[in-house]
Amino acid sequence: MAIITKVCDEAAGIKTFTLEFKEPEIQKSFDYRPGQFVELTVFGVGEAPISITSSPVNKGYLELTVAAVGKVTRALHLRKEKDVAGLRGPYGNGFPFDEVKGKNILFVGGGIGAAPLRSLINQMFAYRDNFAKISILYGAREPGLLCFIDDLEGWGKTENSEVLLTVDAPDAKWRGNVGVVGSLLPKIDIDIKNTVAFICGPPIMIHFVLLDLLKMGFEEEQIITTMERRMECGVGKCGHCNIGKSYVCLDGPVFSYHQLRELGEDI
Amino acid sequence: MKILSKSNLVPFLEGLGLEFKVNAPLYEGQDVLFGDLDSSKLATDFIGKPRLSPKEYSFPQRERLFTFKNNGGVEIEAHLNETKRVIWGIRPCDLYGLKFLDMVYLSDYVDPYYQARRSNTILLGLNCNKAEESCFCSSIGTGPFAREAFDLLFTDLGDVFLVEIGSKAGKKLIEKQANLFTNATSKDEKQAGILEEKSKKTFKTYIDLGKVEAKIAGASSSPVWAEEAAKCILCGGCNWVCPTCYCFNIEDVTSGDKTQRVRYWDSCQLGGFTQMAAMNSRATQAERLRQRIYHKFSYNPDKYGGEIGCTGCGRCIDVCPAGINIAYILRRVAN
Amino acid sequence: MKRVLTTCEFCGCGCNFYLGVEDGKVVAIYPSVSHPISQGRLCIKGWQGHEYIHSPERLTTPLIKKGNRFREASWDEAYELIVDKFNQIRTRYGNDSIAVFSSAKCTNEENYLMQKFARACLGTNNVDHCARLCHASTVVGLATTFGSGAMTNSINEIAGAEVIFIIGSNTTEQHPLIGDRVLRAIEKGAKVIVADPRETQLAKLCSLYLMHKPGSDVALLNGMMNAIIAEGLEDKEFIAERTEGFESLKETVADYTPEKSSAITSVPEEKIVEAARIYSRSKKSIIIYSMGITQHTTGVDNVMTTANLAMLTGNVGKEFTGVDPLRGQNNVQGACDVGALPNVFSGYQAVTDEKLRNKFEKAWKVTLPPQPGLTLVEMLNSALEGSLRAMYIMGENPMVSDPDINHVEKSLKALDFLVVQDIFLTETATLADVVLPGVSFAEKDGTFTSTERRIQRVRKAIEPLGDSKPDWKIITELSSRLGYRMDYSSPAEIMDEIAKLTPIYGGVSYSRLESFGLQWPCPSPDHPGTPYLHKGSFTRGLGKFSPADYKTPAELPSHDYPFVLTTGRVGFHYHTGTMTRKDWALEREYPTGYVEVNSQDAKQLGIKNGQTAKVISRRGEISLSLKSVDTIAKGVVFIPFHFAEAAANKLTAANLDPVAKIPEYKVCAVRLEKG
Ligand SMILES: Cc1cc2nc3c(=O)[nH]c(=O)nc-3n(C[C@H](O)[C@H](O)[C@H](O)COP(=O)(O)OP(=O)(O)OC[C@H]3O[C@@H](n4cnc5c(N)ncnc54)[C@H](O)[C@@H]3O)c2cc1C
Ligand code: SF4
Ligand code: SF4
Ligand code: SF4
Ligand code: FES
C-alpha cells in the first residue's frame, strides 16, 4: 500500500508519480536495482507492471513514469496527491551495475521506454567516478513526448558525459537533431571495445539500434536491453511473459543481446 | 496392497465424506464429469477421461483471490480455500498433470491460493484398463497405469479393486475403514500386471517421445505450424481442457466499493494473451500454436528438470473444433 | 458445485454445456460430450462468454425516467405507469398505435407470449423481432420455393457431404461448430467452394474460392446454373418428378452466360464454370448461406436462387444434400417458429387465414386482428411519422443493431412512450420511459430452437439477480394488469399451449426434450422429429423454381462515395456487444471497432494500418482505426457492427427488400478520409 505524494506532467500523456509506502518499515526495507519493476494496483481498476524510474540512491520514495494507454494507466492518471495505490515487487532482475564499472557507458533510449534507464543513469551519476565516459542518446516521436528534460540537462552538464537528443517530427521550436535515435550513433566518439550499451524503448527502436550497434562493432555481450511482454503475475506463474524458455518477469526484463538470442523464440 | 470389493467402494467413499469433501467422476446423462460425490451417479466403469481434468479443484476456472474494500483506507481479505478434499477416480495422466502443476505452483515463489487447496487434497487414482482413441499417455510414460503422484491407486480387477498405497495420507484413509479392505495376494498383483499389458495394446495414438525431444528445438521453422494454425478457430479449448496448462489472467471486478481480484484460466492461443500497447509479441497463429507445443515439449522440460509438460491425455485433440491434433504435429516434428 | 445442463445463449449452433454454480454464481463451464452438436467442443463464446451474467452493470430493479434521469422504481409503479400510458394511447389512437419488439435472445415461450400479448392483449399484429434483420428473406424465399423457411439439413450431415458450397457465410467465425463440421468434411476429402467478397478463413482452406462483388449473388448463381444446363449436368429426373417451373428458370438463366456473369461479379468465367461442375456432379452437395445472401434489397431473390440451384441438380430432400441458411442468434429460428412476426401466428400460420385465426381466437378467447402488422423498419418509420405512439422492446438493442441509427434514434424519440425490457441499460434502454429488468438465460427455464430446428431446453441455474424477473413472468404480469389474464405456472405449461396450437411443434413437451431436444417438424407425441426436410416431397408439394434476374443493390458506389461498405460480426463478439463486451477474454481480442480495407486501397488513401479513418456515408460518419488487409476485394470495406462507439449502422441504409422488408446491411456506399 502506498500514498501518491507527488504527480507531475512529464510529457504529453505521460506523468511521473512519486509514491511512498504507507508503512515506514516497508519503505525502509524496500530495496531494488535499477531495471526492476513493480506491479502497481489502481484500486477498483486493476494492475499493471511499471518500471521504477527513481534510483536506489533516492531513499524514502519511489518514482514511476507512466504513459496512459489503457484501463489501469488511464485510471492512474486521474489519481492525485494523497490518493493510495497498491505496490508489489520489486520484480525482475535489474541492470548489471558493479559488473560494468570502469567502462564507457552508452545509453540509447526512446520515449517512455527510457524510464528504467533513468533509474540506472542516476545511480551511475551518484557513483560517477566509477565509470568512464557516459553518453546518453535519447529520442522521441515529437518534442512534446521527450521525458525527463530536467534530468537530461543535469546529466549533460556533468564532466565526461554527453547527452544528444533527437525527434522524428520536429515542431517550429525544435533546434536539435531530426531523425530516429539511431541517427545519433555516428555522432558519438567512444572506444567501443571498452563500452557497454544499454538500450530501452519501443520494440522497433530496439530492433534497429541493435542492428546499428552490431554494425559498429559491439559484441552481443556488450549490448544490454530490456524486453517488454504482457504480464499478469510478475512472479513466473501466469505464463504471459515468456520468450522461449525464459520468463521476462523473472529472468528479465534485462537481457544481454547474447542471452536473447539463446532463448529460442524470435524476438 | 489391499483389495476393496466393488460393492464397498460407495461405503468407503461415503465414509470419507464424513471427514472430507469427496469428488469423483459422475454420470450426468451420458457425460462423465468430476463432481461432488453422489453415489447414484458414480462412474466407475467409464473409458478414457472426463472432458475436464480434476485440476480445477486446485486451480479453478475462475477463482476469487482476494477482495478489497476501498472506503478511504483499503481492507484486504484473502480467500484461501482450505477445504479438506479427497478426489477419487483420477486417471494416471491426470495424476501426472497434478504433479506437474505442483512443480509450477509450489516451486520458487509458492502460490498461496494453489497451495491452500492442493495441500488439503488427497488423490486417489484409477488405472485405465482401456485407452480411448485420443489417449497417448503410453507414449509419454504417464499411463495407462500410474507409478507415482497418488495417495491411493485403484485398479479394476473385475469384481474388486486392487488398491496400492502411495503415501501416509493414503494409508491413513484405509486404516480408518480397515474393515472394508482385505489384503491382496500376489495373484491379484499379477492380474493387475496382465491388465496393464492388455491395456497398453489398446492404444491407437502414438508418438516417439525420444525423437520429439531430440528434434523439437530444431523444428521452429517447420511448415507444420502455419499449416495447422490456419484451421484454428481460436476457441481456447485446447488450453481450457489441458491438465498441465497453468497460465492465467487476472482481472479486478468492482462493484460499489468492493473489488475482487479474480484469476481465470487463460489461453495462449488467443491473440490478446500477448497483446501489448505497442505490439503483439506473438502476432501470428502459427507462433501461438508453436508456443503451445514448445511450452510443453521444450520450455517446460528445460525449466523443470526434464519433466514433459504434456500428460498424453489427448483432451486437446478431442476438444478441437478445427481438428488440430498434437500427436500429428509431434509426429511431423519427429520426422 | 451444482451443475446445470443448458443451451448456449449465443449462436444458432445450439451447443449444450453445463453451468457450474457455486454460492449462487456461475463459475465454470463444461461442454457436453454426448450432445450431438457440441460433442465436447465449444467456441470461445461458449467457453468464456458468460461473465456478463454477474456483471455489476446488470439491471436489478425497474427504472422510471424522470426528466432526463432514471430513478429506481417498484414493479407495481412501473406496471401501473405502463398500463396507464398504454391504455391512454390505445383509447386515443387505436390498437395499432402500439408495437412490440420481441427478441431472438429470449426463449420460445417468451416469444410466444410476446406475440400473444400483442395480438390478444393489445389487439394488434404489430410484433416483429430481429429476424427481420437477418433472415426475413430466408423465411419468404424458402417458403416460396420449398414451402418451409428453415435449414433443410441437420448440422451433422454437413460433415458427411461431398461438396459444400458456402456463399455469404463466414462459417468458422459466425457458426463455429458448423465450421467444425465443414473442416471435418474437408479432412474427409470433401470439396468446399466459398463465394464471399471477403477472403474468410474457409476461403483460404477450400478447394475453390470465388471473390464476388457484394450484391452480385444472383448473377453468380444464375451463371452457375447457365453452365450446368449448358453442359447437361442438371438432374432431369428430379426436375421432372419433384419440381415445377423449370422452363421459366431455363429461360431466365439462359441470359447469364459465364461471360455476363463474370462481368457482373468480377469472378473469372472459368471459376464460375468450375464451381458449377463441382457442385452439380456430386449427389451429396450442400449449400450453406447466411447474412451475405439475405441482407440485401434482393434478399428474397438471392435465397430463391440458391434454392433453384439445389433443385436444378437434385441436391435437396435427401441426406447430405440441402440448402442451409445459418441462423445467427441462438433462438432466431424459435422466435420465428412461435410467431413473433407480424403476419403469422406460431408455426407460420397466417393471420389472414380465417380458419387459422378462428383457431387462435377460440384458444385465446378473444377476437384477433385480421391484417398483418408492421415490420420492424416500418414500425420505426411509422413512429417518426406519428401513427405509432408507443413501443415495448424486449431484449433488443436497435440503437446499435438496426440500419441508419440516426433515423432509429429520431424514431424512438418521437414515440410518446417507450418500454424497454433488458438485462443491461443498453443504448436503446437509455431512451426508454420505463425500463424493466429481465434476466439472463442462466436465470430461467425455457427452450431455444437452434438453426437445425432443434428445440432444446434452457435450464435455470441461478436465482434472478436483485429484483429482476424472468421475461415470461413479466409479460404475463403486464398482460394480466392490462386486462388480458395470462396464468402460467411455468414455461413447460406455455410449451404445452404452443404444442396444441402449432402443428410443427405438435409433439413437443418438456419431458420429451430431456435428451438434447427434438427437431421440428414434430407433429405428434410419438413422432421422432425430422433430421432433414423435404424427403419424398417438398413441404409445399412440388418444389417451385423461382427465377430472378440480377438487380443492382439500392445504393451503388458513386464519385462521392466510391467504396462499398459491408457489415458483419467477428467471432469474438455478439451483436451489439452488450454481453460479450463485458468479458475480459473477448474484449481483449477485439476491444473496439475497425474498418477493414484492401491494402492497395489503403495505400491510395494514404492511411496506414492502425491509423484512424473517417468513414462517411450519406447518413452519417464514424471514426475508427483502419486495418489494411489483402483478404477483401478492392473497392469494398468491412466494419463489424458490435461497437456502439463506432457504430457501423450509423452508415448503413434502411433500404428494404420489397417483400421480406429486410434492410440491405451488406451494401451501402461510403467514402473514407484520414481521420
Ligand atoms: C516490465 C515492464 C515494465 C513496464 N514499465 C512501464 C513504465 O515504466 N511506464 C509505462 O507507462 N508502462 C510500462 N510498461 C507497460 C505497461 O505495463 C502497460 O502499458 C500497462 O500494463 C497497460 O495497462 P492498462 O490497464 O492501462 O492497459 P489495458 O487497458 O489493459 O490495455 C491497453 C494496452 O496495453 C496492453 N497491455 C495490457 N496489459 C499489459 C501488460 N501487463 N504488459 C504490457 N502491455 C499490456 C494491452 O494489450 C493494450 O494494448 C511496462 C511493461 C512491462 C512488462
Ligand atoms: S497438451 Fe493435450 S495431450 Fe498433452 S496434457 Fe494437454 S490436453 Fe493432454
Ligand atoms: S482447440 Fe483447436 S481451434 Fe481451439 S484454440 Fe485450440 S487449436 Fe485452436
Ligand atoms: S458455436 Fe455457437 S452455440 Fe456453440 S458455443 Fe459457440 S456461440 Fe455457443
Ligand atoms: S508475468 Fe506472469 S509469468 Fe511473467
Side-chain angles (χ1 to χ4, degrees), chain C residues 101-113:
Chain C
F101 257 34
S102 204
S103 170
K105 278 247 132 343
C106 289
T107 63
N108 286 323
E109 291 73 7
E110 289 160 348
N111 277 288
Y112 175 81
L113 287 190

Side-chain angles (χ1 to χ4, degrees), chain B residues 21 28-31 33-36 51-52 56-57 61-62 64 229-237 240-241 249 251 253-255 260 264-267 270-273 275 317-323, chain C residues 1-3 5 18 22-23 25-35 38-44 47-48 51 54 56 172-173 176-177 179-181 183-184 187 201 205 515-516 572 584-585 588-589:
Chain B
K21 179 149 202 142
E28 297 278 357
Q30 298 158 53
D31 293 328
L33 297 166
F34 276 98
D36 298 344
R51 177 64 28 128
L52 262 65
E56 55 178 326
Y57 294 116
Q61 296 188 31
R62 176 191 198 282
R64 274 185 327 164
K231 299 186 281 184
C232 176
I233 66 155
L234 298 171
C235 71
W240 317 129
V241 299
N249 181 44
E251 288 290 310
V253 183
T254 300
S255 147
Q260 290 188 349
Y264 300 83
W265 289 358
D266 206 342
S267 162
L270 304 178
F273 188 80
Q275 181 68 49
I317 302 173
D318 294 330
V319 83
C320 182
Chain C
M1 188 188 293
K2 185 174 87 170
R3 285 214 182 83
L5 181 67
Y18 297 82
E22 221 164 52
D23 303 331
K25 279 194 147 194
V26 175
V27 295
I29 299 293
Y30 307 86
S32 167
V33 177
S34 48
H35 185 266
S38 312
Q39 302 184 356
R41 301 161 188 176
L42 298 171
C43 81
I44 179 105
W47 277 110
Q48 192 44 269
E51 270 299 297
H54 297 291
T172 49
E173 277 201 46
L177 268 283
D180 162 317
R181 301 307 192 273
L183 289 168
R184 282 197 235 178
E187 210 166 285
Q201 185 179 23
L205 298 166
S515 55
F516 305 130
F572 290 90
W584 60 267
R588 193 175 69 180
E589 294 302 303

Side-chain angles (χ1 to χ4, degrees), chain C residues 214-273:
Chain C
S216 66
D217 309 82
V218 167
L220 178 68
L221 295 164
N222 280 354
M224 283 172 67
M225 289 191 273
N226 177 295
I228 289 169
I229 295 172
E231 302 193 6
L233 291 168
E234 73 272 24
D235 185 335
K236 298 183 183 78
E237 199 179 315
F238 187 90
I239 294 169
E241 283 170 15
R242 302 270 317 257
T243 68
E244 59 186 336
F246 176 62
E247 284 312 313
S248 75
L249 177 85
K250 202 167 161 183
E251 208 173 291
T252 305
V253 302
D255 245 12
Y256 293 84
T257 57
E259 296 94 296
K260 176 170 171 183
S261 170
S262 172
I264 300 171
T265 59
S266 67
V267 175
E269 275 172 52
E270 54 298 350
K271 284 198 176 179
I272 297 173
V273 176

